Amino acid sequence: MGPVQCELVWDCVVKVGSMQGFLNFVRYYPIAGLFFLFFYVWKKGVFEKFRIQKSYPGSDRIWQEFRQSAVTLVVFTMIATTNITMAKLKWIPNKVYFGEVSGLTAWLYVAFSFILISLWHETWFYWMHRFAHLKPVYKWVHQEHHQSVNPTPLAAYRFQATEAFLEGIYLVFFIMVVPVHFYLVIFHTFFAMIMNIYFHSGYELYPKGFASHPIFKWFNTSTHHNLHHQRFLGNYGLYMNIWDRWMGTNFPNYEESYEKVVEKRHNSLTKEGIPAEA
């Protein structure tokens, strides 16, 4: 699906806003919903052994996650529409480019810009997240999200409007400075959403040793973020475990907790006669 290209008139703003809203809602609810239905309903028994917390949240909590996610999607839509409108008015720069990506150099730059935007997002998220946990700020920014102590995939976007704004604005700053292809922006936001849904899933699918592996330990796990929801002050990172390790904000027993979750799965699979990491 291509970008909306039009002159800056009210009809154009409506078209841009409608397309952004469509992209946000049509991506999030079907994917988070399918993930929820697969793990919490259809294959609940099969994947019981992959659970991080043994208990399941009540239906009221799940409904709150579903409902509050709509607020976040509306805010994300408003950010994108305002950004595009302001760029068309030449009030802010916008380095998003369009057209065919042709040649090795162009593709290498696309790959480089994906790495760059991911590192920027991780950095923004980590420090914004720590800011949101400050006592004077927490109530006004982050309290809603932490109502999900035992999150489901639908908790991924359970933000109050203030946090949704802070969660989404990182992209505006990035594209004001760094040239990035339109479809790479779409791919990045899709990737970020998928990872966010997984980290809030309540299930750990990664293998033994992942959290302490010399290379993979720099990437986050579902257990990492689930511990943040359980214990609150620590494990602030998003995709990566870089800032938490550098700043000493991992929970001290994070790697041990991860291994306990995976070992429980390993033992359960072994009893059933299934290869543990299959």
Side-chain angles (χ1 to χ4, degrees), residues 93-149:
N94 187 322
K95 301 290 187 178
V96 175
Y97 63 92
F98 305 87
E100 184 181 351
V101 179
S102 180
L104 179 61
T105 302
W107 279 109
L108 286 174
Y109 179 75
V110 169
F112 171 73
S113 59
F114 175 71
I115 294 170
L116 203 60
I117 197 171
S118 298
L119 289 171
W120 164 242
H121 190 194
E122 179 65 35
T123 300
W124 174 271
F125 181 88
Y126 176 85
W127 290 104
M128 180 279 296
H129 196 184
R130 287 193 67 175
F131 168 76
H133 274 270
L134 294 176
K135 204 172 251 187
V137 176
Y138 175 75
K139 177 182 176 181
W140 307 104
V141 175
H142 200 42
Q143 182 171 273
E144 176 67 37
H145 189 65
H146 271 281
Q147 298 306 302
S148 295
V149 178

Side-chain angles (χ1 to χ4, degrees), residues 177-198:
V177 178
V178 181
V180 58
H181 196 279
F182 172 77
Y183 287 115
L184 192 278
V185 174
I186 299 298
F187 177 78
H188 162 73
T189 55
F190 183 80
F191 171 78
M193 183 191 72
I194 294 292
M195 296 307 296
N196 206 357
I197 289 170
Y198 172 62

